[in-house]
Amino acid sequence: MIVDNALYHQGQRVPLGGDADDQSLGAARVPCDPGDFQWIGIHDPSPDELDLIARTFDLHPLAVEDAGDSHQRPKLERYGDTLFLVLKTLWYVDEEDAVETGEINMFVGQDFVVTVRHGQGIDLATARRDLEHRAKVLEHGPMAVLYAICDRVVDEYEKVGEALEEDVDEVEESVFSEARTDDSNRIYVLKREIAEVRRAVMPLREPMRKFAMGVDDRITAETATYFRDVSDHLQRVSEVVDNLDVLLSTAFDAHLARISVQQNEDMRKISAGAALIVVPTLIAGIYGMNFDHMPELHWTYGYPFALMLMVGVSLGLFAWFKRSGWL
Amino acid sequence: MIVDNALYHQGQRVPLGGDADDQSLGAARVPCDPGDFQWIGIHDPSPDELDLIARTFDLHPLAVEDAGDSHQRPKLERYGDTLFLVLKTLWYVDEEDAVETGEINMFVGQDFVVTVRHGQGIDLATARRDLEHRAKVLEHGPMAVLYAICDRVVDEYEKVGEALEEDVDEVEESVFSEARTDDSNRIYVLKREIAEVRRAVMPLREPMRKFAMGVDDRITAETATYFRDVSDHLQRVSEVVDNLDVLLSTAFDAHLARISVQQNEDMRKISAGAALIVVPTLIAGIYGMNFDHMPELHWTYGYPFALMLMVGVSLGLFAWFKRSGWL
Amino acid sequence: MIVDNALYHQGQRVPLGGDADDQSLGAARVPCDPGDFQWIGIHDPSPDELDLIARTFDLHPLAVEDAGDSHQRPKLERYGDTLFLVLKTLWYVDEEDAVETGEINMFVGQDFVVTVRHGQGIDLATARRDLEHRAKVLEHGPMAVLYAICDRVVDEYEKVGEALEEDVDEVEESVFSEARTDDSNRIYVLKREIAEVRRAVMPLREPMRKFAMGVDDRITAETATYFRDVSDHLQRVSEVVDNLDVLLSTAFDAHLARISVQQNEDMRKISAGAALIVVPTLIAGIYGMNFDHMPELHWTYGYPFALMLMVGVSLGLFAWFKRSGWL
Amino acid sequence: MIVDNALYHQGQRVPLGGDADDQSLGAARVPCDPGDFQWIGIHDPSPDELDLIARTFDLHPLAVEDAGDSHQRPKLERYGDTLFLVLKTLWYVDEEDAVETGEINMFVGQDFVVTVRHGQGIDLATARRDLEHRAKVLEHGPMAVLYAICDRVVDEYEKVGEALEEDVDEVEESVFSEARTDDSNRIYVLKREIAEVRRAVMPLREPMRKFAMGVDDRITAETATYFRDVSDHLQRVSEVVDNLDVLLSTAFDAHLARISVQQNEDMRKISAGAALIVVPTLIAGIYGMNFDHMPELHWTYGYPFALMLMVGVSLGLFAWFKRSGWL
Amino acid sequence: MIVDNALYHQGQRVPLGGDADDQSLGAARVPCDPGDFQWIGIHDPSPDELDLIARTFDLHPLAVEDAGDSHQRPKLERYGDTLFLVLKTLWYVDEEDAVETGEINMFVGQDFVVTVRHGQGIDLATARRDLEHRAKVLEHGPMAVLYAICDRVVDEYEKVGEALEEDVDEVEESVFSEARTDDSNRIYVLKREIAEVRRAVMPLREPMRKFAMGVDDRITAETATYFRDVSDHLQRVSEVVDNLDVLLSTAFDAHLARISVQQNEDMRKISAGAALIVVPTLIAGIYGMNFDHMPELHWTYGYPFALMLMVGVSLGLFAWFKRSGWL
Ligand SMILES: [Mg+2]
Ligand SMILES: [Mg+2]
Ligand SMILES: [Mg+2]
Ligand SMILES: [Mg+2]
Ligand SMILES: [Mg+2]
Ligand SMILES: [Mg+2]
Ligand SMILES: [Mg+2]
Ligand SMILES: [Mg+2]
Ligand SMILES: [Mg+2]
Ligand SMILES: [Mg+2]
Ligand SMILES: [Mg+2]
Ligand SMILES: [Mg+2]
Ligand SMILES: [Mg+2]
Ligand SMILES: [Mg+2]
Ligand SMILES: [Mg+2]
Ligand SMILES: [Mg+2]
Ligand SMILES: [Mg+2]
Ligand SMILES: [Mg+2]
Ligand SMILES: [Mg+2]
Ligand SMILES: [Mg+2]
Ligand SMILES: [Mg+2]
Ligand SMILES: [Mg+2]
Ligand SMILES: [Mg+2]
Ligand SMILES: [Mg+2]
Ligand SMILES: [Mg+2]
Ligand SMILES: [Mg+2]
Ligand SMILES: [Mg+2]
Ligand SMILES: [Mg+2]
Ligand SMILES: [Mg+2]
Ligand SMILES: [Mg+2]
Ligand SMILES: [Mg+2]
């Protein structure tokens, strides 16, 4: 679905045909003066829509094929004068400790930008509106749009990184709490989600580094500085999640050790508890023997004596186990 | 066995001698006009057949030795004007979670292509038929055949990757299910199959990257773009299986932790169950003592009292163990 | 808060306006003669203060944004003539085996230095005072200030490294002591703190290496030698903490093995202890049988004989378990 | 011991002095026509023999020192015009799953080859005889000898790799068999032997790659192709053993998991078995109580009733444990 | 303490002032003819001694600072014409499986060598004496001294490597012996000592490689060959200890598996032993029941029958457990 389509002249949105908010948006190419550019946004396009856009902007079939499929890895490709950038959008769903992934494909030509969004993630409409209020930036043309989207996407990555940091803190606390928690499931889920973040972040570093080094002649020294900032933030996220991953591995090892220690403690507790029963049972067995001559059996207080012997021995054992830490 | 042999002129198959489907295919070299090329396909060749082909197309003995043996690693070699490419074909057999491997060897000369297939895998006959319907592509000559086969082989890799993703999802579910499953065998098998995929994918990346960078003067800028696409898909598969491998390792660790936790739970359950027996046994022992003066023994309801004491104590213990999670 | 502001002329502090210790420090740019430079120090600045400084020294907004946020990674960036360096300061709190992290941001221009400190760490005021006593060094201008701060920060890293070495020695001793210590928590904490050190040290190596190689034309061969020294010390710290990390992993594995061995020993001890009770219980059971013809029951000393049999068998078992190492 | 010494002229062995099989072989240098070369083979030489050879062929003392000691790592060194290559020979002893290592040192000059063999491994005499039947190859001079030996050595590596693959298959089967096998010892031995193979294979890759790239002006494009083949086979072996190593690690993990699962199963079996004894014991205890009024005691069939109660309860428990998988 | 000081002229030691063994050695610079050089040796110098030497030979303060502190990492630095090399000396103390570390700092100028030794390690005095007997080598000037010391230090590394190989063999044997040994402590110690060797060996490889490549114009092609030999031996040691480290990790894993298997065996043994007691106890309980009609109780040989029943059942169980491997 084509969700927006506008011409930008000297950093200002130019109403196309009728109204900028016109819902009957077409994919037609708008004639541009030099320095102007057209930005068309599509969301979960049908093959036909993609095909129309491809013909309108003369996009390469291989790139269009990739843009139609939401399982690409982040990458930057150049087809003639047109850059093709695939970005993963990430967001965090706290209820499930889950990281979710969407995708943005961007075609950046000399005088046009086509953004193709799959799934959720950052709100490109808001991103566009924000950008339309910064004419100074928009004046730089299509590369400014590219920067603005990358910047916003990476800002979201940082939020996801922070959410995961909180989760890892919770895991850490749980592992080392006295409570017997089964943390392995949560550790597994977090490691899987961290791997998901990594798959978005790692391959994007090279394209951002290239932009920061001014790989394209449309990137001025000033623009490159801005891409260097994105690149730096990307590096930061990448180090954060790498660190979390290592922490989780260490926490998992500690969790394993704890399980073993707890089993040991349980075994001691159980054994001590058993001793409190079997020793009186032995005493009862002794006084259940049928010897003719067992003086205690004839004592007036023989029975209470035997009971107290049992209780006394058990209390003694209890004290001993308590002192030695088995109970 | 020589399975097909044809001349291609301006992207069109030219009937050789008699009929294209003629089963009495020979290995003879067909005289080519400039721009034309001959494509001969062999399957599980005998040494004699290979030898004949080698003499006909003047292939290097080292390459022919490799082509006759199906245990090569993927690689690209140049012998004079002829490229020699070894590809692994992969397919997935769902019943056994098994990845199977075949091999394709290709000799790509100025005006000929020799494909040598070992074992199963992609159906080269179908690949050829499909290609014959795309004259535009075939016009590009032998490199187009090379591309078409690489593209198809790598598409199969992606399917294998998806099948393995499903398997890993199943393992994940099984590991974290309440049921006591012995997942280590399946994890082992999957890791072994993933290693098999890796051995096919990893060494192929360099040849595809070389084609994408136009390492051969027969590769035009346009063709290179197509190889870049193959290279990109190969990278995607490689990242998918790397990720699966890491996930399986993490799942295995979680499985180990689960086994320990379950053993702990079993031990507690067993101990609690034992207590329900040994405590009444102690009571029975007490009333089996032979003291002269044991008032309970002479009570009219002494016996029911003792039985109810046993049941009462056991119920009390049961409730206590339930509350503390041991039962 | 602006904590100090001074002009340095030929390595000497020049009183600004009124008094060097004047608390009403402003952020105004002081006119400099060639070779002179101004050094202004800020601590936990408010956005307004940062903004004022940025306008005064014409700092790039992206760098200022980073300087206002204390979660940067160490890095070196160049904005026009101005270098922007982010450093992490580290210190060690022995009570909690904790490494703490602060941050210093430095803007180094042709004739000015702006230092922005977040949190604790090295005392920049003392660093400045020390430097003011070394006119020879200060004469080298802003790069000398940069060196002096880097040198001091890295010296602190080395102290942290030594403190962690002591901690690891303690862990090692604890793991291999006879006492049953739960070392996994401490090992976890130390590995986490070591990772914190690494995040400060690793990314700083590249900037220091660049300075050591004279990346900036303000760095003379002599100055480069001094940065090489810092770079070398940084490398030393990095190897120390890497080594500690590996040692901790190995110690953790040994800890796991120990837990298993101890559980094994416990199980044997418990079993041996149980045998000392159940064997006499069997004897008591035997003499509790109701056969008509059991000669021992009628012996005068049958009862003492039975008791001594119990004690004797238990002593025999005890000796046997002792000898075989089970008790 | 000097084991052979011959001159090769245009690919043909030239009888030296008397007889080619003459056992009184000396180390004398034979005058060569241009294009001819001398090949002398030594086995486990004494220091004196080595010294004599060194003086005869003017070999560098450092290389001679290395050639006299069989604990070198594979390497290629150039001393003036003479190449010095150290190769490890490997063979497999099936009875012990053992890989054994020998060593070949080769000095390759403009018109001579000196081969120094330590220990067993490939039969250089046979290698020489085979080569003498391929005059076409021998015509290429000393480099052809170098190639022929490398090729044969690497062929042996591939056989060792195959033998290890069989061993790993056996381990895999054993680990996942129902039988309780202690596979850790065998896995350890295999990993150690694999490391031994790696120490032979890995360092040889660089020399072979250099030859394949024609590092020496005596290597023609055609010869380089042959070294590329050796290099490729070496790479194949290296990937095979890497893969085996990873498989063994995974199999070891699965073995650990199995041990835990089996311990768990044992514990359940033991507990179930114990229940079959202690419950009847409780019943016996109850009917051993001395209450005045216990009706069952006076039943005519009280005793059989009690026995059947015991058996019945045990059978019930048995069925229950069977159903729940504990027995 | 200055331990030796001499002038070398054409490879010969020249008596300084009075006697070469004169204990009143000073640090004075001796005037040198071109080609001559002075070699002064210091051991555990005081700050004053170092300061005097520094002024005498015009050494850079940063290098002198490092030379005064024995916690440097191996490194090569150039300060003007003077090379500064830090080497770790290693030796092995068999009683404790311990590797000990000392340090040598060398300043190598155009016409002087200053060696600063910390702690024990190689005997520099002997090294000097040996060298003084090889005038041919000494003629090459200061670089020959540098080579001779590096060669000797690395020879010691190889001895340490061999001693560690023996230790690992012992560990291997112990782990797989039937005896229950607690090998984790020894494995830990060996891994720690291997890490110590690595810290000496790894960083020295780069300096040696640089010398072998003739990084300094005082290194002739011939000298470079000798440094290449040192570099090669260093590489050998490094591979030896890497291999040992991996072997120890694998042995540790096998040790862990063994502990688990042994615990399993213990548990079975204990359970079987318990069965031998509790089954007779049940029988005793049965004949301790108080039923009016229990025929066995009135048999003349009822008691012996019961005892023999107990013994018989126990023997049967014993045989069964033996056969099934539980005892
Ligand atoms: Mg959360
Ligand atoms: Mg939460
Ligand atoms: Mg997710
Ligand atoms: Mg941003
Ligand atoms: Mg917990
Ligand atoms: Mg930033
Ligand atoms: Mg499946
Ligand atoms: Mg399935
Ligand atoms: Mg398979
Ligand atoms: Mg495709
Ligand atoms: Mg499960
Ligand atoms: Mg694609
Ligand atoms: Mg501490
Ligand atoms: Mg402390
Ligand atoms: Mg901290
Ligand atoms: Mg310092
Ligand atoms: Mg301890
Ligand atoms: Mg230093
Ligand atoms: Mg075998
Ligand atoms: Mg071996
Ligand atoms: Mg071969
Ligand atoms: Mg076999
Ligand atoms: Mg098994
Ligand atoms: Mg081959
Ligand atoms: Mg030793
Ligand atoms: Mg040591
Ligand atoms: Mg040496
Ligand atoms: Mg020893
Ligand atoms: Mg032993
Ligand atoms: Mg052992
Ligand atoms: Mg050597």
Side-chain angles (χ1 to χ4, degrees), chain D residues 62 65-66 72 75, chain E residues 229-230 232-233 236:
Chain D
L62 285 170
E65 191 188 283
D66 286 351
Q72 300 303 314
K75 63 174 173 174
Chain E
D229 187 59
V230 174
D232 176 48
H233 293 197
R236 218 159 65 187

Side-chain angles (χ1 to χ4, degrees), chain D residues 160-175:
Chain D
V160 170
E162 280 161 29
L164 290 170
E165 276 182 318
E166 264 176 50
D167 285 351
V168 171
D169 281 351
E170 287 170 24
V171 163
E172 194 175 294
E173 207 175 312
S174 163
V175 163

